[in-house]
Amino acid sequence: MGRGRRDKIALSTEQRQRLEAISRNGHAPAKKILHAQILLMSDEGELATRTWTDNEIAQALNLHRNTVGRIRQRFLEKGEAPALERKARRKPPVDPIVDGETEAQIIALCCSQPPAGRGNWSIRLLTNELKKRRIVTQIGRETVRKTLKKTNCALGKPRDSASLSGTCPDSSPRWKWF
């Protein structure tokens, strides 16, 4: 059967059907489909039509043979679901610009008096003021907008915006312009 491999995979009928469904339907993420194909090709059970080596699998799927070995090992140690899913990152590739302290300062600035000659804070004014006060060295208007939206902090006067005035009896919202 195998060519001296110690970590042989023998898939059950149900596992094989699930993996074939994943690899054929095309609706799963690409990495999940690829991992399912690796497991199907690594199968050395009764239902296997052919025995593939790691090098053959890697060449057929355009991967490195170590990737094939890692997926097979993860299947044997942790099971089907962890072998199919991508390993979660411990840390995001880019650190967030706005942490809790910066967010608090943005909100405090938003709630303070606007500059002389202005009735309200705008996103652009807030962004420039954050840079001027050196709260952050670099920040974009969109980051400031998303931070304020996340905290439900509204800029501007009520008459300059639209808000829900309640719901109709038929549960569709009525918009009221101030």
Side-chain angles (χ1 to χ4, degrees):
M1 227 185 202
R3 297 189 179 134
R5 188 183 289 161
R6 288 177 295 182
D7 50 353
K8 295 179 182 177
I9 291 180
L11 297 173
S12 68
T13 307
E14 296 82 26
Q15 287 175 322
R16 191 160 191 69
Q17 288 172 347
R18 277 194 304 272
L19 293 172
E20 285 173 347
I22 289 169
S23 66
R24 285 189 183 142
N25 72 9
H27 294 294
K31 288 288 184 187
K32 189 172 188 175
I33 292 171
L34 189 65
H35 291 192
Q37 289 171 340
I38 291 170
L39 292 174
L40 285 167
M41 293 170 90
S42 297
D43 184 21
E44 296 183 30
E46 295 174 7
L47 301 173
T49 55
R50 177 182 170 199
T51 303
W52 296 72
T53 65
D54 284 358
N55 287 333
E56 291 171 337
I57 296 170
Q59 198 170 26
L61 298 176
N62 199 22
L63 298 168
H64 195 275
R65 71 175 188 273
N66 292 351
T67 303
V68 175
R70 273 195 306 272
I71 300 301
R72 189 179 56 252
Q73 197 64 36
R74 198 179 313 155
F75 175 81
L76 292 169
E77 290 175 0
K78 298 179 182 176
E80 185 179 332
L84 290 175
E85 300 299 326
R86 293 180 76 176
K87 197 163 70 172
R89 287 184 163 180
R90 292 182 192 150
K91 183 182 167 205
V94 178
D95 290 331
I97 295 172
V98 179
D99 58 357
E101 184 180 328
T102 308
E103 187 176 301
Q105 290 178 333
I106 291 171
I107 294 167
L109 185 60
C110 178
C111 296
S112 68
Q113 284 290 341
R118 298 289 189 143
N120 301 309
W121 283 104
S122 67
I123 300 289
R124 186 166 298 196
L125 281 173
L126 279 171
T127 305
N128 293 337
E129 191 66 24
L130 288 168
K131 291 175 187 175
K132 191 168 101 179
R133 292 186 184 188
R134 297 179 189 217
I135 294 171
V136 290
T137 55
Q138 190 70 17
I139 193 166
R141 292 190 310 266
E142 184 65 9
T143 306
V144 174
R145 184 194 70 78
K146 283 182 179 179
T147 303
L148 293 174
K149 182 176 180 179
K150 183 175 80 172
T151 59
N152 292 328
C153 184
L155 292 174
K157 297 177 188 172
R159 63 180 158 81
D160 294 336
S161 62
S163 66
L164 277 171
S165 64
T167 56
C168 298
D170 62 352
S171 297
S172 63
R174 246 186 287 168
W175 287 94
K176 179 179 176 186
W177 292 89
F178 292 100

